[in-house]
Amino acid sequence: MSYEEIFGYGWSLNFLMFILNVYIGIKSMNTKTKEQLLYENKILSRLKNEFDKYYPYRKYETIISYLIPFTAFFRVSFRLFEMTMFFNKNRSAKLFDYMIFKYQSDIKLAKNRIK
């Protein structure tokens, strides 16, 4: 197998994970009303602003991970596994609950590192 093939497979898997992310997001949005989406957006925006204070370059890190072969694939696969474990433990949870949990745990982790 040549390096070009390996890179091609890696980028293909990254693209697959990007499409999977978009699909999960759209599927979760389609089940909610406009008012619910606005309420959730308000809460998540507040958490994201606080998150961005501790991780200001996270957006660039995510973009770069999609450009490096296999990186986004492994990163998103780990997130999907983490989401599955969260949903198994919290049966009535939704994607919104997981996002709040993840933002809060990452913010808490950053605050503990600073101390």
Side-chain angles (χ1 to χ4, degrees):
M1 188 179 283
S2 69
Y3 285 114
E4 292 85 14
E5 290 174 326
I6 293 170
F7 276 59
Y9 288 133
W11 283 319
S12 297
L13 287 172
N14 284 355
F15 183 70
L16 174 69
M17 287 300 159
F18 177 77
I19 296 300
L20 186 62
N21 267 337
V22 171
Y23 172 76
I24 290 171
I26 290 174
K27 185 178 174 189
S28 129
M29 286 185 339
N30 283 340
T31 61
K32 300 189 175 164
T33 65
K34 182 180 176 184
E35 292 77 25
Q36 287 174 320
L37 288 174
L38 289 173
Y39 172 73
E40 291 176 3
N41 185 41
K42 184 175 145 184
I43 293 172
L44 290 174
S45 294
R46 205 173 316 130
L47 284 170
K48 186 176 180 332
N49 288 337
E50 185 176 358
F51 178 82
D52 286 343
K53 284 191 280 186
Y54 297 106
Y55 301 100
Y57 302 111
R58 182 72 119 201
K59 175 175 39 173
Y60 303 117
E61 178 185 318
T62 302
I63 292 170
I64 289 171
S65 75
Y66 279 100
L67 298 176
I68 300 173
F70 296 105
T71 307
F73 172 73
F74 291 119
R75 184 178 178 174
V76 174
S77 296
F78 177 74
R79 290 279 187 229
L80 291 173
F81 176 73
E82 190 177 36
M83 282 172 51
T84 303
M85 293 290 111
F86 178 81
F87 292 136
N88 284 339
K89 189 173 182 180
N90 306 295
R91 294 281 179 194
S92 63
K94 303 285 184 210
L95 183 60
F96 174 69
D97 301 321
Y98 172 74
M99 292 172 72
I100 287 177
F101 164 76
K102 194 62 186 155
Y103 272 130
Q104 288 175 342
S105 64
D106 286 348
I107 290 168
K108 183 179 176 184
L109 182 67
K111 285 180 179 179
N112 288 339
R113 273 193 216 146
I114 291 174
K115 291 180 182 179

